[in-house]
Amino acid sequence: PEEMEELFSGYPGALENTLEIADKVEFYKLERDIVLPVFPLPEGFENENDYLEHLTYEGAKKKYGEITPEIKERLDYELGVIRQMGFSGYFLIVQDFINAARKLGVIVGPGRGSAAGSAVAYAIGITNVDPIKYKLLFERFLNPERVTMPDIDVDFDDEGREKVLEYVVNKYGAD
């Protein structure tokens, strides 16, 4: 305080005004829960977790042929973390618009970033990189200590991007 008084001695009231302003500052918590659209479940599935598990194992059978104990352990572990963190719907929505993009003839990238470490993402077609084969870590992408939503980077060709956005808005709404 003495140093500030000396530095600002030529400005009467500067310190008092600064303190007055500081006292008026209100602190706000700007966090909010993640808001995602609801993924419409097909008949026969009770919740997003069950449907994601179904898609994962169906996709894994196609990608791997045989579900070895190593693959099953990895898929079950990832599905458990995804379920625990409440991101099953997120995975379902992303795989939905990626599959729609492919059906619309839009070129989709193979997947990049930490999402390539997810065997679930690979099995359901979000990425085309086998994380088990390349020994990629799922925990770089998603782990229970992470406080933010996982980031799935998706690349679409420039001409087809609008088709994908239109699909998403039509299915899930503009909000």
Side-chain angles (χ1 to χ4, degrees), residues 26-147:
E26 294 180 45
F27 292 95
Y28 295 96
K29 187 175 181 179
L30 296 177
E31 294 178 17
R32 68 173 188 179
D33 290 336
I34 295 167
V35 179
L36 291 172
V38 174
F39 181 84
L41 293 171
E43 193 139 335
F45 294 95
E46 288 191 33
N47 58 54
E48 294 171 335
N49 299 325
D50 292 345
Y51 189 53
L52 179 60
E53 182 175 337
H54 168 77
L55 288 180
T56 297
Y57 275 97
E58 289 298 307
K61 286 176 197 169
K62 291 176 186 164
K63 300 253 181 170
Y64 293 109
E66 178 191 352
I67 307 285
T68 65
E70 174 194 18
I71 293 169
K72 182 176 181 354
E73 181 179 341
R74 174 74 177 256
L75 293 174
D76 286 346
Y77 168 72
E78 289 188 21
L79 286 166
V81 172
I82 293 165
R83 184 179 305 117
Q84 173 190 347
M85 297 187 72
F87 292 133
S88 294
Y90 177 54
F91 276 76
L92 291 170
I93 290 166
V94 173
Q95 67 82 34
D96 176 54
F97 68 71
I98 287 174
N99 289 335
R102 290 183 179 122
K103 286 178 187 166
L104 292 167
V106 176
I107 297 170
V108 181
R112 60 182 171 87
S114 62
S118 172
V120 169
Y122 175 64
I124 64 175
I126 291 174
T127 64
N128 288 330
V129 178
D130 181 353
I132 296 173
K133 177 180 179 181
Y134 295 105
K135 298 180 177 23
L136 301 177
L137 297 175
F138 174 70
E139 292 78 10
R140 281 197 62 233
F141 170 60
L142 187 61
N143 65 69
E145 287 78 40
R146 183 183 180 137
V147 294

